[in-house]
Amino acid sequence: EVQLVESGGGLVQPGRSMKLSCAASGFTFNNYDMAWVCQAPKKGLEWVATISYDGSSTYYRDSVKGRFTISRDNAKSTLYLQMDSLRSEDTATYYCARASGLRGYYVMDAWGQGASVTVSS
Amino acid sequence: DIQMTQSPASLSASLEEIVTITCQASQDIGNWLSWYQQKPGKSPQLLIYGATSLADGVPSRFSGSRSGTQYSLKISRLQVEDIGIYYCLQAYSAPFTFGSGTKLEIK
């Protein structure tokens, strides 16, 4: 069974840092690109970042470029999101998602339960 | 960036009714469109990929279609377990963008 389990969320002050982790199991982690998707309270889904299967390529939404870093440790089957210079508008639930190519189409076919991040003084 | 305009924002329908949700892409994205269902308090789940293909384990009452840059998700006979919020996602080019969501309720 595919499992993605996020950890590391909580309350953090504006301007500080936080690192999320996502432990993957039930599939060959280093065969898949991975992504982070966030959802602000009572709002819709927003793609945050994607990393290629081998970590060689990363992509970010504009609002987090230069502040967030997506990375992975394939030996540990773990995905990370380092979030620096946090702002109140970063408050959200952050989902880890597996990115697959189904019949050549890029989709997010497995999701974690989410990690809640609250940025407030 | 590619914009995905999703409608309606909310929808109330009766059991066994046919329900249709649409997403309009701001430019050509081919079939790089997927649909997700988010049940209350849960994580999103993949329903449709490649605009028209049903994901594994998804009931056959769900279907997807495309007409140019307009994409539709249809539920042929609404069931109680279908309540939730539905999102489209374009993965044609980064930044990947979701539609704003459609909240589906039972009348």
Side-chain angles (χ1 to χ4, degrees):
Chain A
E1 180 193 3
V2 173
Q3 280 202 317
L4 298 169
V5 179
E6 299 95 337
S7 60
L11 175 64
V12 62
Q13 292 180 328
R16 303 297 291 264
S17 298
M18 177 173 279
K19 187 171 186 176
L20 302 180
S21 300
C22 171
S25 61
F27 64 101
T28 305
F29 184 69
N30 58 14
N31 282 353
Y32 291 86
D33 292 357
M34 296 295 294
W36 289 97
V37 175
C38 72
Q39 186 169 36
K42 304 293 186 185
K43 299 294 185 182
L45 301 172
E46 282 192 338
W47 170 78
V48 175
T50 292
I51 186 167
S52 61
Y53 67 98
D54 60 357
S56 63
S57 298
T58 57
Y59 309 88
Y60 299 91
R61 66 180 296 111
D62 284 349
S63 62
V64 307
K65 277 180 188 173
R67 299 190 301 122
F68 289 12
T69 303
I70 188 172
S71 62
R72 63 192 297 160
D73 184 335
N74 283 345
K76 295 182 178 178
S77 295
T78 302
L79 176 72
Y80 302 101
L81 185 66
Q82 175 68 44
M83 302 183 290
D84 299 323
S85 302
L86 280 161
R87 306 166 180 169
S88 58
E89 55 264 36
D90 297 320
T91 294
T93 296
Y94 286 77
Y95 295 101
C96 161
R98 186 179 77 171
S100 294
L102 297 181
R103 288 177 52 223
Y105 294 107
Y106 205 70
V107 297
M108 297 178 195
D109 69 342
W111 298 67
Q113 85 287 353
S116 179
V117 173
T118 301
V119 183
S120 175
S121 54
Chain B
D1 297 359
I2 298 173
Q3 308 302 317
M4 300 302 297
T5 303
Q6 187 171 341
S7 61
S10 63
L11 182 53
S12 181
S14 302
L15 292 176
E16 303 291 323
E17 190 173 332
I18 297 173
V19 168
T20 301
I21 298 167
T22 63
C23 271
Q24 178 72 48
S26 61
Q27 66 184 71
D28 181 21
I29 59 168
N31 285 338
W32 292 79
L33 189 285
S34 48
W35 290 96
Y36 300 81
Q37 176 195 57
Q38 187 175 30
K39 294 186 178 182
K42 300 293 187 182
S43 305
Q45 287 191 305
L46 176 67
L47 295 175
I48 300 286
Y49 65 94
T52 61
S53 297
L54 201 63
D56 287 347
V58 176
S60 59
R61 62 179 179 276
F62 290 91
S63 64
S65 63
R66 171 195 174 191
S67 177
T69 56
Q70 181 165 292
Y71 301 81
S72 297
L73 172 70
K74 186 173 86 170
I75 308 173
S76 60
R77 295 190 320 278
L78 186 65
Q79 304 296 305
V80 170
E81 59 265 33
D82 298 335
I83 63 167
I85 303 176
Y86 292 79
Y87 297 92
C88 62
L89 168 68
Q90 72 78 18
Y92 178 76
S93 68
F96 302 148
T97 43
F98 288 90
S100 53
T102 296
K103 186 174 184 179
L104 178 58
E105 298 175 326
I106 303 293
K107 192 182 292 182

